[in-house]
Amino acid sequence: MLTLPELDEKLRAAFASRGDSTLFVRPAPELRYARLIDVIDAAKEAGASRIGLVSAEADDDAVLRADHQP
């Protein structure tokens, strides 16, 4: 598991190399809600412009298609 500073570093690097700052988050079932909020806040601070939550049951291909629609 990453620490929040490590997550911040990885997200900043990812957003710097992409034109899009959308982030999809698929939380582990055992993740506590408060920790999820911390992650979302860290993502916003790192430059995420849109954050989508993906359920554990979601189809990865469907998520990717939804992100690329106008």
Side-chain angles (χ1 to χ4, degrees):
M1 182 178 345
L2 293 174
T3 65
L4 289 176
E6 291 169 334
L7 176 65
D8 180 75
E9 182 180 327
K10 287 185 178 290
L11 288 174
R12 286 181 191 276
F15 293 144
S17 65
R18 298 184 344 191
D20 183 19
S21 57
T22 299
L23 176 69
F24 288 98
V25 177
R26 179 181 289 154
E30 66 276 2
L31 185 68
R32 295 182 46 188
Y33 181 75
R35 183 70 172 162
L36 175 60
I37 297 304
D38 291 341
V39 167
I40 290 171
D41 288 343
K44 288 179 183 177
E45 288 291 318
S49 61
R50 295 185 307 165
I51 300 173
L53 296 177
V54 181
S55 72
E57 296 83 26
D59 173 15
D60 288 338
D61 291 333
V63 171
L64 292 174
R65 284 191 305 272
D67 182 42
H68 290 52
Q69 292 183 6

